[in-house]
RNA sequence: GCCCCCAUCGUCCAGCGGCCUAGGACGCCUGCCUUUCACGCAGGUAACACGGGUUCGAAUCCCGUUGGGGGUGCCA
């Protein structure tokens, strides 16, 4: 029998990285086993029942490439069914009416203004076999009579969750460990309505450096923010897959379709995983380097368009395209791109104090190098090898190796000590006059 | 407080009783390459929380301790 899984987020206006990981593992399990992946929005709380809060959620899921086979279903649209189930439990005495002071009120049917609590059986044990955690059990005496219907006439999530999983034929519930202690209550509800229990798989939490669950308050948790900073969706899902799971062949950076082939929910481990930005950057940089030239140009477009730190009319697609070939392998995110190429499209290179200090103040013979370069670059052939040879010669005259010799020129021309290979950039993307002007400009500022 | 879960390098993952003097990756350090940075290449650093068992044999199984986390809402 093929499985049916669901990702059931509560709309919060953005997609949390932890939620994205949960969505990914559900999606992977479905794709790996030929099952069905259902998307369901858990918006039973009136405050969250707003379309603008779910739109961005859906957009981010699409961006990650986690396409769903069914849905999105909205719990808020299933109110009548939830009410019907609650009434059934009331009639059978498995639940009871309760007032604001938590006192039981007699009655076999719903009453406006009163909540409903599920009657917890005494002296029982609820046990289940979690795919990642193994046997887990709870004593019902440790559980309280929990609310399943609010006094304002809406269902509580445990009730909606149980009913919807049952109605939608969910066979495997894959979700975060923070939901583990709610399982016995859902199981009791499922038993009460005569529905089969799904198999549960609780994923280890994603934590920050303090080993606490990732929180919106302290941590960078929005997928949208990572997207905006220039992380690629394929890198994002790749890295997320590595949190709580690892490929059997130890090849970590790879395309999603390969992960689908390798993924097995039983292999997920139990311990919480630290969300390590450094490793994410590495995964991203690797995927970035692997992009074909044209593909890269397409992906990077948003970062060199209107948002770029230079006047739009100064941008030159041809020179940019050439430059990409020189810097693509140096980038960690798409967002790094502008600062590697901005000098081409700005009237003057940016003033980076650290670079200036390093090359012009602390570095050796800056003035002599700039003067020498101004002379030799004035009439040498405008080709990479010739420029390199000319600058090398000036450097040798001053007893400097090329590494030291090129530094002042690099800063004069590009503004920074870090950047593309200098002579290629000058020969292929810049005019002689402009280079000489910048060298003179820097010399005057010494 | 009570309930539940977890525990291998700084971090992520491997290890599912002998192949482990514990492997891979990120990070960090060193060297090579070199027009900066990066990439690449070659090395290095660094872990089975502790204590009892079980067993011929334990990182692997059991118990306890300690530590960490999650839950405990008329939020999801």
């Amino acid at each position: 029998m093929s499985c049916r899984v669901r990702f059931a987020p509560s709309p919060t206006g953005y997609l949390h990285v932890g939620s994205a990981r949960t969505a990914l593992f559900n999606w992977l399990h479905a794709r790996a086993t030929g099952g069905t992946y259902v998307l369901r929005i858990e918006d039973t709380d009136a405050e969250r029942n707003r379309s603008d809060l779910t739109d961005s959620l859906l957009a981010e899921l699409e961006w990650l490439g986690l396409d769903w086979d069914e849905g999105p279903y909205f719990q808020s649209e299933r109110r009548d069914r939830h009410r019907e189930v609650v009434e059934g439990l009331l009639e059978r005495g498995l639940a009871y009416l309760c007032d604001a002071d938590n006192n039981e009120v007699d009655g076999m049917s719903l009453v406006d203004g009163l909540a409903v609590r599920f009657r917890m059986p005494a002296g029982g044990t609820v046990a289940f076999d979690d795919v990642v955690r193994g046997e887990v059990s709870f004593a019902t005496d440790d559980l309280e009579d929990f609310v399943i219907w609010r006094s304002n006439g809406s269902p509580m999530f445990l009730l909606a969750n149980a009913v919807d999983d049952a109605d939608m034929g969910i066979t495997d519930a894959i979700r975060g460990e923070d939901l583990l202690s709610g399982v016995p209550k859902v199981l009791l509800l499922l038993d009460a309505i005569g529905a089969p229990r799904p198999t549960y798989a609780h994923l280890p939490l994603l934590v920050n450096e303090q080993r606490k669950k990732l929180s919106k308050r302290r941590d960078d948790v929005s997928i949208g923010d990572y997207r905006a900073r220039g992380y690629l969706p394929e890198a994002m899902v790749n890295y997320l897959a590595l949190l709580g799971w690892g490929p059997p062949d130890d090849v970590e950076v790879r395309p999603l379709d390969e992960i689908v082939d390798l993924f097995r929910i039983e292999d997920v481990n139990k311990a919480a995983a630290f969300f390590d930005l450094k490793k994410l950057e590495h995964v991203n940089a690797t995927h970035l380097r692997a992009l074909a030239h044209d593909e890269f140009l397409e992906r990077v477009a948003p970062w060199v368009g209107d948002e770029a730190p230079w006047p739009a009319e100064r941008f030159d697609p041809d020179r940019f395209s050439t430059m990409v070939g020189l810097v693509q392998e140096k980038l960690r995110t798409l967002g790094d791109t502008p600062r590697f190429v901005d000098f081409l499209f700005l009237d003057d290179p940016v003033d980076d104090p650290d670079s200036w200090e390093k090359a012009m103040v602390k570095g050796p013979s800056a003035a002599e190098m700039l003067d020498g370069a101004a002379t030799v670059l004035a009439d040498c052939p405008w080709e990479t090898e010739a420029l390199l040879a000319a600058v090398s010669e000036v450097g040798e005259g001053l007893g400097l190796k090329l590494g030291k010799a090129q530094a002042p020129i690099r800063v004069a021309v590009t503004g920074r000590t870090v950047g593309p290979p200098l002579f290629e950039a000058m020969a292929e993307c810049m005019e002689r006059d402009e280079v000489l002007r910048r060298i003179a400009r820097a010399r005057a500022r010494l």
Side-chain angles (χ1 to χ4, degrees):
Chain A
M1 183 186 79
S2 81
C3 78
R4 286 175 62 81
V5 300
R6 44 61 172 185
F7 173 51
S10 160
T12 52
Y14 65 96
L15 181 61
H16 186 288
V17 293
S19 300
R21 204 274 304 252
T22 298
L24 171 63
F25 280 40
N26 273 285
W27 183 90
L28 284 172
H29 184 56
R31 294 293 173 265
T33 63
T36 303
Y37 172 59
V38 178
L39 180 60
R40 183 175 75 221
I41 306 299
E42 307 224 321
D43 57 350
T44 53
D45 182 15
E47 313 248 313
R48 302 180 192 230
N49 183 7
R50 283 165 40 198
S51 64
D52 58 310
L53 293 181
T54 68
D55 289 348
S56 53
L57 198 62
L58 302 186
E60 299 305 346
L61 286 172
E62 282 172 2
W63 178 70
L64 288 172
L66 306 180
D67 54 320
W68 49 93
D69 305 310
E70 282 183 28
Y73 296 116
F74 291 86
Q75 279 190 333
S76 56
E77 294 172 359
R78 294 175 44 78
R79 179 77 51 92
D80 293 345
R81 164 90 255 243
H82 300 145
R83 180 197 306 273
E84 171 185 308
V85 170
V86 172
E87 283 179 329
L89 293 173
L90 265 179
E91 284 165 17
R92 293 160 60 204
L94 296 175
Y96 60 88
L97 294 169
C98 137
D99 65 22
D101 298 320
N102 290 338
N103 293 313
E104 181 168 348
V105 176
D106 286 340
M108 302 276 279
S109 61
L110 285 171
V111 175
D112 282 351
L114 291 182
V116 177
R117 281 181 186 272
F118 182 79
R119 204 182 295 283
M120 187 61 59
T125 298
V126 183
F128 61 99
D129 193 33
D130 190 281
V131 174
V132 344
R133 262 141 241 286
E135 180 88 9
V136 181
S137 72
F138 295 80
T140 57
D141 289 343
D142 290 324
L143 274 19
E144 71 290 349
D145 290 355
F146 58 101
V147 175
I148 56 177
W149 191 259
R150 297 190 183 87
S151 56
N152 72 1
S154 63
M156 284 292 286
F157 92 102
L158 284 174
L159 185 280
N161 188 270
V163 172
D164 291 355
D165 277 356
D167 289 354
M168 294 175 190
I170 299 304
T171 60
D172 299 77
I174 301 170
R175 52 198 206 156
E177 202 215 80
D178 50 341
L179 298 175
L180 185 60
S181 45
V183 174
K185 293 174 183 173
V186 173
L187 256 21
L188 256 13
L189 283 172
L190 255 13
D191 293 351
I193 64 179
R197 297 176 168 191
T199 297
Y200 285 90
H202 286 86
L203 308 174
L205 257 22
L206 258 33
V207 299
N208 60 25
E209 43 286 294
Q210 277 89 233
R211 295 258 120 200
K212 306 263 194 213
K213 184 166 73 160
L214 246 33
S215 95
K216 176 184 182 177
R217 196 84 198 142
R218 298 182 300 264
D219 312 302
D220 292 328
V221 299
S222 169
I223 288 290
D225 288 348
Y226 287 96
R227 176 186 192 173
R229 277 191 267 157
Y231 288 91
L232 302 172
E234 57 267 48
M236 215 65 216
V237 292
N238 189 164
Y239 177 62
L240 254 14
L242 263 16
L243 262 19
W245 177 84
D249 59 6
D250 276 341
V251 178
E252 296 187 319
V253 181
R254 64 200 319 163
L256 232 204
D257 59 343
E258 289 185 17
I259 293 175
V260 167
D261 291 339
L262 266 15
F263 186 82
R264 297 194 320 159
I265 190 72
E266 317 78 80
D267 292 339
V268 171
N269 57 213
K270 310 173 209 262
F274 170 62
F275 188 85
D276 187 352
L277 194 60
K278 279 283 190 2
K279 181 109 179 208
L280 204 214
E281 285 180 352
H282 168 258
V283 173
N284 196 247
T286 306
H287 280 281
L288 213 45
R289 279 197 295 276
L291 292 179
H293 183 77
D294 289 347
E295 175 73 9
F296 182 88
L297 286 179
E298 215 168 284
R299 303 282 199 104
V300 80
W303 278 267
V304 296
D306 293 341
E307 303 295 305
W310 53 72
E313 66 274 14
R314 292 286 312 274
F315 184 69
D316 176 347
D318 290 337
R319 284 192 296 155
F320 176 66
S321 176
T322 300
M323 185 59 76
V324 162
L326 302 175
V327 304
Q328 183 177 347
E329 69 174 19
K330 301 170 189 292
L331 309 172
R332 303 193 78 76
T333 67
L334 290 172
D336 288 341
T337 309
R339 66 188 176 81
F340 273 84
V341 306
D342 60 0
F343 68 94
L344 291 178
F345 312 119
L346 290 167
D347 290 336
D348 289 312
V350 295
D351 177 34
D352 179 51
D354 290 344
S355 293
W356 185 272
E357 178 74 13
K358 191 176 176 190
M360 304 298 200
V361 181
K362 291 185 174 169
S365 315
E368 292 84 343
M369 272 312 305
L370 291 178
D371 287 339
T375 303
V376 298
L377 296 183
D379 59 20
C380 79
W382 204 245
E383 300 160 355
T384 299
E385 289 307 316
L387 298 180
L388 187 157
V391 171
S392 292
E393 197 174 330
V394 174
E396 279 163 23
L398 295 166
L400 299 177
K401 285 187 172 179
L402 189 54
K404 292 289 185 188
Q406 56 88 45
I409 300 163
R410 174 182 296 281
V411 172
V413 175
T414 73
R416 300 185 178 88
T417 50
V418 174
L422 184 60
F423 307 113
E424 283 83 348
M426 294 196 308
E428 296 174 32
C429 299
M430 297 185 78
E431 311 257 307
R432 184 194 306 268
D433 288 351
E434 178 61 9
V435 168
L436 291 174
R437 185 187 73 76
R438 291 186 179 195
I439 288 174
R441 173 177 175 274
R443 179 68 180 85
R445 293 178 63 203
L446 275 181

